[in-house]
Each structure stands twice: as C-alpha cells, then as structure tokens.
Amino acid sequence: MFNFNYYSPTKVIFGRGTEDQIGTLAQEYGATKVLIHYGGGSVVRSGLLDRVKAALDAAGVAHVELGGVVPNPHLAKVREGIALGQREGVDFLLAVGGGSVIDSVKAISYGLAEPDKDVWELFEGQREAERFLPIASILTIAAAGSETSNSCVITNERTGEKRAYDDDISRPKFAIMNPELSMTLPDYQTQAGCTDIMMHTMERYFTQGGNMEITDALAEGLLRTVIKYAQVLHHDPENYEARAEIMWAGSLAHNGLTGCGNDGGDFASHMLEHELGGMFDVTHGAGLAAVWPSWARYVYRDCLPRFVRYATNVMGVAPGATDEETALRGIEAMEDFYHRIGMPINLRELGIQPTEEQILALAESCARATGGSQGSAKVLYQEDMAAIFRLAL
Ligand code: NZQ
Ligand code: ZN
C-alpha cells in the first residue's frame, strides 16, 4: 500500500426533509449574504428554490440568486456569478442542484476570494488557489460527487475546453442530501449519474498497485450496490431506499474513501470523456459509459489481475479457461449492464460520430490537458487516446 491523506471535512445532513435546515445551517456557518446558485429550472418547477429562500428568510439570512447553469457548466456563467457576488457583498455560496451547479459555485468562490486574478488560470494549470469562500449544497442528483469532492470542472465555451481543477480548499462546508429531491429526475439522468458514481470508484480500482484489502472491499461493495439499485430505479424511480443508497454511494465514490492506499487512480476514462463533453456537450455519465468498454479492451492485458478480480467480485461472472477470458467476460457483463439501464456503450449509441480530424483534435487536447500522458492501468499517450476514440466509434 501507498501512504495516503484522507480529508473529507464536509458535514453531511442526509434524509427526508433535511433541506428545511438550510436557514439554521447558514447561520451556524456565519453566512450573512448567500448567493443561491441553480440550473436550468428544475428547482424552480419543483418548488425547492422557493422553500430554500423562505428558510433563509426565516433565519434572517440575506440572499441573492443566480440561475441558468447548464450541464457542463460554462465559464461565462462563472464570471457572471463573480461579478454579482462582488456587487452584492456575498460571503457564502449555496448550490441548489447537481454537479454542474456545485462546480459553478466552486469556481465563483475561487473568483470571489481572489478577485484580482483570472479564475480560468486555475483550470489551465497556471497557478494554485490560495483562498476560497465557504460553499455548501442542496443536492438534487446523485452523480458527480462534487458535494464532498475537492474537484471543480468548468467548460470554456469559447474554446471548447472542459478542464478540472482539484484543491482541498474547495471541499464544501456541508451537503444537504435528501434522496426524495432526486425523484423528479428523468431516467437518463438517473442512470448517467449511477454510471458516473461507479466510474469514480472504478477509476481508483483499476490501478497498478497499492491496493488495500479494506479499500477493495469498500469499492466492490459500493459498485455492487450501485449496480443493484440503478436497475431498481430504472423500473421504480420513486423508490426511496434505492434513491438513498445511490445518493450516499455518490458521495463515498468520490470523496477519496475508495482510493485510500492506491497510487492515485487511473482517471483516463474521465479525461477522455471531458474532451467529448468539451467538443460535443454530451452528458458526463453517458459519455463515460460510451468510452469505458473501449478503454477497458485497450488496457486490460496490462492490468489483468484487477480486471479478473472485477469480473468475479463485482460482475459475478464465472471464471473462464484463462484470465484473459475472465477479464473479457467482465467487460461484456459491464456492457450488458449499461444496456439494461439505457446507457450507451459506444459513441454511435451516445449519438455522436466524430470524424478522423475531430478524433485527432480530441486526442491532442486530452494530451495537452493531462500534461502528455494519463493512466495507471496503462499509461496512455496521445496516440493511445486517439486509438481508444477510434475503437469507441
Ligand atoms: O439544470 P436543471 O434544470 O436543474 O436540470 C438538471 C440538468 O439538466 C437536471 N436535474 C438535476 N436535478 C434534477 C434535475 N432534473 C429534474 N429533477 C432533479 N431533481 O439534471 C441535469 C444534469 O445536471 P448536472 O448538474 O449537470 O448533473 P451532474 O451532477 O451529473 O453533473 C455533471 C457535471 O459534473 C462534472 C461533470 O463533468 C459535469 O460537468 N463532474 C464534476 C466532478 C466533481 N466536481 O467532483 C466529478 C465528475 O467526474 C464530473 O466530471
Ligand atoms: Zn465523473
């Protein structure tokens, strides 16, 4: 095993009706003026936004609001939020929504905390953040894990670059997680979320070393749980227990727990998907499902023991005559699972058909974003990235 830091300071308030506590929580964390940030309207339609504002009013906490965050959140909206926050003297930021809204709030917080610097520099790797305003979320979709993660992913809509910036100072103060709030999700978003949750742990599972028994046990238990309840939700979207299992899994999958002791993880599938998000604006989880089988077939020989273990312990397949056969059975079982929950297993099913020129541009951008190479199961260079995109066609 490798040495590790585990830092997950976010307070989690989980269960039915917990959003009603937002007023007292905001007070407890010293908020005097809150920027409420939300997306394209689901929280307006559900009435959640009005309830949040009423709870803040009741607690005597002032607030302003900014909606309109799109999936694969845009830099322009972040800049709008920074300008609004400065004008209004905001000292606390509250995301009401999913990963896109939480990431947009994180980026606005970086910008407000260091107003003399351009926030995009963080995402271009030109500097590290020194300050951050406190943030929290009321989660409406289990997926990205941003409610407890140290990560922030923003798309520069002008250049088509989707870039991540990771920093522990951005861990949210608290996350309100009421599984009922996710019951209004379209099935496609629920299942894309389940796919993303699994991928956050799979990225940490398929590595070349440092694997601890306790970490593997947590990871495999989490993955089996998501496989089970994703299928329950496909047929029974208002099943509270299933929503709760998935929502909690979403945080545990990406708060670092399922990576303790390993070498930092692979994350190649994520970096490949971010390029698809930047160029084609695809739904993150669905993009991951479309890329993973091709990534897996490209790398499994270099990481065979992990693929065999995954096939037997997570997918429950019978061992084949050789380890290679067992590993391939595991990948096929994963594709079957994606199909059962309505997820794509290639780019065609995702609804995009990149040309050879676009594939080369995707690979070039991915190599640039990763500093030249990415991966632990197998280290991938630009030509490998292009090869995986071609395989995924
Ligand atoms: O905008 P609204 O109208 O709210 O609709 C959203 C959006 O269209 C809808 N939705 C959310 N909750 C709903 C709902 N619709 C009905 N009822 C509800 N209760 O769902 C759609 C998707 O929302 P989004 O926030 O984009 O989903 P998700 O949580 O999957 O976030 C995706 C973003 O997070 C990034 C992704 O790259 C992508 O940009 N990621 C962030 C990470 C992090 N910060 O740690 C890690 C991830 O790997 C990921 O990269
Ligand atoms: Zn993800």
Side-chain angles (χ1 to χ4, degrees):
M1 63 171 282
F2 291 90
N3 292 356
F4 61 88
N5 292 343
Y6 177 65
Y7 179 66
S8 189
T10 305
K11 176 172 178 171
V12 171
I13 301 103
F14 195 98
R16 288 189 172 98
T18 45
E19 66 275 18
D20 296 343
Q21 297 174 38
I22 184 59
T24 40
L25 280 162
Q27 269 180 337
E28 196 182 304
Y29 283 85
T32 64
K33 188 142 193 191
V34 176
L35 172 58
I36 306 172
H37 204 29
Y38 60 95
S42 69
V43 302
V44 178
R45 288 190 296 278
S46 68
L48 176 61
L49 182 65
D50 282 343
R51 286 192 284 129
V52 168
K53 290 196 282 190
L56 289 173
D57 287 339
V61 178
H63 49 85
V64 285
E65 64 186 74
L66 179 64
V69 179
V70 293
N72 299 319
H74 287 177
L75 179 60
K77 182 58 73 178
V78 170
R79 296 202 193 286
E80 195 184 332
I82 295 169
L84 176 68
Q86 276 179 317
R87 263 194 328 271
E88 296 283 343
V90 161
D91 58 12
F92 195 97
L93 297 96
L94 176 68
V96 186
S100 295
V101 179
I102 302 171
D103 285 0
S104 191
V105 139
K106 285 179 177 173
I108 294 170
S109 173
Y110 283 125
L112 281 175
E114 297 186 78
D116 299 336
K117 298 178 182 159
D118 181 13
V119 70
W120 186 246
E121 289 170 0
L122 298 171
F123 298 87
E124 287 188 312
Q126 290 176 7
R127 63 176 173 94
E128 295 205 341
E130 287 168 14
R131 285 190 295 281
F132 191 79
L133 255 53
I135 69 161
S137 71
I138 298 177
L139 190 66
T140 63
I141 170 174
S146 187
E147 66 278 6
T148 55
S149 83
N150 68 352
S151 186
C152 174
V153 189
I154 298 294
T155 296
N156 183 334
E157 67 285 354
R158 208 173 39 76
T159 60
E161 292 166 296
K162 179 173 173 173
R163 295 287 181 264
Y165 175 65
D166 296 352
D167 196 320
D168 272 339
I169 63 171
S170 74
R171 302 256 185 195
K173 294 292 179 201
F174 60 86
I176 292 179
M177 296 165 60
N178 173 0
E180 276 179 343
L181 298 179
S182 63
M183 286 182 185
T184 48
L185 278 167
D187 184 58
Y188 187 76
Q189 290 295 341
T190 296
Q191 303 304 342
C194 291
T195 303
D196 192 22
I197 291 167
M198 289 185 70
M199 279 303 309
H200 292 152
T201 283
M202 289 157 70
E203 298 279 23
R204 293 170 166 93
Y205 186 89
F206 291 104
T207 70
Q208 288 294 351
N211 302 108
M212 293 175 74
E213 191 57 41
I214 179 75
T215 298
D216 280 344
L218 288 166
E220 289 166 0
L222 185 149
L223 291 164
R224 287 192 300 266
T225 304
V226 178
I227 287 173
K228 175 176 171 183
Y229 288 106
Q231 293 174 92
V232 171
L233 289 177
H234 196 46
H235 302 288
D236 185 10
E238 299 200 357
N239 184 314
Y240 180 82
E241 275 67 33
R243 288 279 174 200
E245 298 279 355
I246 294 293
M247 192 169 261
W248 187 223
S251 291
L252 298 184
H254 202 34
N255 73 356
L257 182 67
T258 59
C260 293
N262 79 11
D263 64 0
D266 185 272
F267 286 96
S269 299
H270 261 77
M271 299 316 283
L272 293 166
E273 191 288 331
H274 282 180
E275 297 308 322
L276 296 176
M279 189 179 283
F280 298 103
D281 200 21
V282 297
T283 297
H284 174 62
L288 289 169
V291 162
W292 187 82
S294 300
W295 169 85
R297 288 204 162 77
Y298 195 80
V299 310
Y300 79 94
R301 285 187 196 84
D302 293 78
C303 196
L304 200 51
R306 301 300 291 171
F307 275 89
V308 169
R309 187 174 167 137
Y310 187 85
T312 49
N313 288 7
V314 177
M315 300 314 296
V317 306
T322 63
D323 280 355
E324 282 213 12
E325 199 182 316
T326 308
L328 284 170
R329 281 186 189 177
I331 296 168
E332 281 159 19
M334 203 53 203
E335 290 174 322
D336 290 346
F337 164 69
Y338 283 146
H339 274 162
R340 276 201 301 282
I341 61 168
M343 282 290 107
I345 62 165
N346 55 44
L347 300 184
R348 186 173 39 78
E349 291 182 7
L350 181 63
I352 60 172
Q353 276 186 304
T355 61
E356 178 61 18
E357 197 182 334
Q358 285 172 321
I359 283 175
L360 294 175
L362 289 165
E364 191 274 329
S365 177
C366 192
R368 198 157 20 88
T370 56
S373 65
Q374 181 71 33
S376 167
K378 179 182 173 74
V379 179
L380 304 177
Y381 298 92
Q382 188 171 329
E383 52 278 19
D384 303 303
M385 296 166 184
I388 291 172
F389 283 127
R390 276 186 212 106
L391 262 182
L393 285 171

